[in-house]
Every structure is written in structure tokens, then in C-alpha cells.
Amino acid sequence: MRSGGARGAAVAALLCTLAVLLLGACGTQVAGQGDPTPSATALPWTLSAPTRSQIDGAELGSDRRTVTIAVDVPSGPHPCVRDLKAELTAPGANTVQVQVTFTSPSGDRRSGCTESATAKARVKLPEPLGERELAVGYPAAVFTADGAALPALRLCGDLGCTPPATGCTTGSYEQAVQAVDAPAHTYRDAEHCDGKWLVLDISWPTGPVCGDPGNDACAPRLGDRWFYKAEEAGWKPFFRTATGGCRAVREREPDFPTALCTSLEPLAPSLHPAYSPTATPTS
């Protein structure tokens, strides 16, 4: 009896020791160095919407009502996106507006969601898209079925889905101004155009933006003179100069017609000032 009791006590002690070691090992696994990539569920998931540049494309289903939108979303070793969806926000007469949203912990770099992947969201319109444009997000990526290789919709450019034909027109001049990445509130001061070649004088205010043309603070301007050639995609700039006449532009492009440049006066120094390098003081 005594030896059996001793053996029982020894077994009980051994079991207790094992239990302590096991608990200690579990405690070390949880509270030691920790998970090197923390669980995404412990990080804040926030509502997000893709920007225009993150919208990769849109497809129209055979029913002409179902739209599938491809977007760039965060990606990483753990789940990075939940609740990806596209919702109709305004079924307008000319434009159908859709918003894509998702939740993600990508705002916290500990989530590991530092890469990107393509995902798709689908929305069903109450009626066929028809000739209306599809605007996704804000600022919007705009798509149209007009001229598209369906099922893919055609992504429209900055000048809209039906940009003006290249020529001597106001809309075409607006395209030319955008082509040189002109500052906001740029004015077209003069145009010389024959349909194939274009000279555009532009200027922009250097004072505060205001709607009072009589305000002296808005009077100072800077400017440029750009030369363009008509291309399939619109007016393409190839040269700029502040000088007058034809010499400079024809050295760059011998085919440029003299009829468009002979009468050009140099830009006023106030529009295109030249700054000399700072002189080095002498001792």
C-alpha cells in the first residue's frame, strides 16, 4: 500500500510537471515574440473607394444591363479586401453613375497589404445602358459602348467620349491647351491655324484667382507660344518659343508653313521674361 501510494504520488507529480511545461510552452508561443505578421482582424478595416487611375476597365453583359468593373485593390499575404461592391448611385438620362467601394486594413502597413491585384465588382442597371455613358467613381472614369469592342466598354479621355475633331475650332483649341499641360485658368490669346498646323499663344494670371478682371492683383500674366501638328489623336505640340517670325520654328520643322509664322511678333517680355544668371560677385 505504501509503495503503491508512493507511485501514485510520483505519477501525480509528473502529470503536474508536464501540465506546467505545456502551459508554459503555450504561453511562450502567444506572448513571446508574437505573430510576425499580425492578424488582419486586429487592424482597423476602413471603407475605401478606388481612384480613377485604379479603375482598369468595364464590361457590359449580354443583357446590356449587367456591368462588371475591374479595379485595382490592395493585396498582401493576408486578406486585404472585404465587401467589394459596385452600387448604382444615379441613373441619369445621359450618364449612369456607379460607385465602387470596399473595406481594407491597407491604411496600416502592418497589415502587409502593400501590393495590388485586380478584382471585379458587378452591378445590374435597371435598364440597358444604351447610348448613355457610364461614370465610375469621383473624379469619374467614364466609359461608353459607342465605338467599343464589346463586351469591353471604351474608356473616354479627358475631352469626353466624343472629343472634337482636330481642326480650327474652339473645342480643338481646348485640346491643344491641355496637350501642353498648361496651368489652370489659361487664356488663349491668339490662334493661327490651317487645319494641319497650329500656332497658339496662351497666357495665365500670376496673381490670386479671382473673378474681378479690374482687380490689379489679377493683371500680371506669364505666357508661351506653342506650335502644333495635327495627329490622329489631336493637336500634338512639337515646339515653343518666345521669338517672332519663322526662323526658329522652321529650323525645328522645315515643313511648317510660312503663312502661319511670318507675321508673328515676339512675345512681350512681361509674358515670357528672360532671367540672366546671377552674377558672381568679384572681390
Side-chain angles (χ1 to χ4, degrees), residues 27-274:
T28 301
Q29 183 177 2
V30 173
Q33 294 182 350
D35 187 352
T37 54
S39 172
T41 57
L43 299 172
W45 286 68
T46 57
L47 184 66
S48 301
T51 63
R52 179 177 178 177
S53 63
Q54 293 172 312
I55 299 170
D56 292 335
E59 293 187 352
L60 190 63
S62 58
D63 61 358
R64 299 297 188 264
R65 293 176 55 193
T66 303
V67 178
T68 303
I69 302 167
V71 298
D72 287 338
V73 296
S75 177
H78 299 290
C80 291
V81 173
R82 293 177 183 166
D83 303 321
L84 174 66
K85 59 185 177 182
E87 293 183 305
L88 181 68
T89 58
N94 299 314
T95 303
V96 176
Q97 295 182 355
V98 171
Q99 181 65 61
V100 176
T101 57
F102 58 86
T103 56
S104 175
S106 59
D108 191 325
R109 294 188 64 84
R110 293 178 301 163
S111 67
C113 301
T114 56
E115 303 295 327
S116 65
T118 300
K120 294 184 177 181
R122 183 174 298 170
V123 62
K124 193 161 188 176
L125 310 180
E127 58 186 5
L129 179 64
E131 297 181 356
R132 293 177 297 171
E133 297 173 356
L134 175 74
V136 183
Y138 182 83
V142 181
F143 299 86
T144 179
D146 181 35
L150 296 176
L153 294 173
R154 177 170 63 88
L155 177 63
C156 303
D158 293 336
L159 296 174
C161 296
T162 54
T166 304
C168 305
T169 64
T170 299
S172 193
Y173 297 151
E174 292 297 327
Q175 177 268 316
V177 171
Q178 292 190 26
V180 296
D181 196 23
H185 310 290
T186 292
Y187 299 90
R188 298 192 318 276
D189 297 327
E191 306 94 8
H192 305 268
C193 176
D194 68 359
K196 183 178 179 181
W197 304 93
L198 170 67
V199 186
L200 202 61
D201 288 354
I202 59 177
S203 64
W204 53 91
T206 59
V209 176
C210 63
D212 181 8
N215 190 330
D216 292 340
C218 302
R221 291 190 180 188
L222 293 177
D224 265 326
R225 172 176 289 149
W226 281 95
F227 295 80
Y228 301 79
K229 184 177 181 180
E231 301 284 354
E232 184 176 350
W235 287 114
K236 182 178 180 180
F238 67 88
F239 185 60
R240 69 173 177 175
T241 181
T243 63
C246 294
R247 180 177 177 180
V249 65
R250 285 179 62 85
E251 285 178 353
R252 180 65 174 269
E253 177 52 77
D255 292 336
F256 193 85
T258 57
L260 297 183
C261 56
T262 300
S263 62
L264 295 178
E265 296 289 339
L267 290 184
S270 60
L271 286 177
H272 207 279

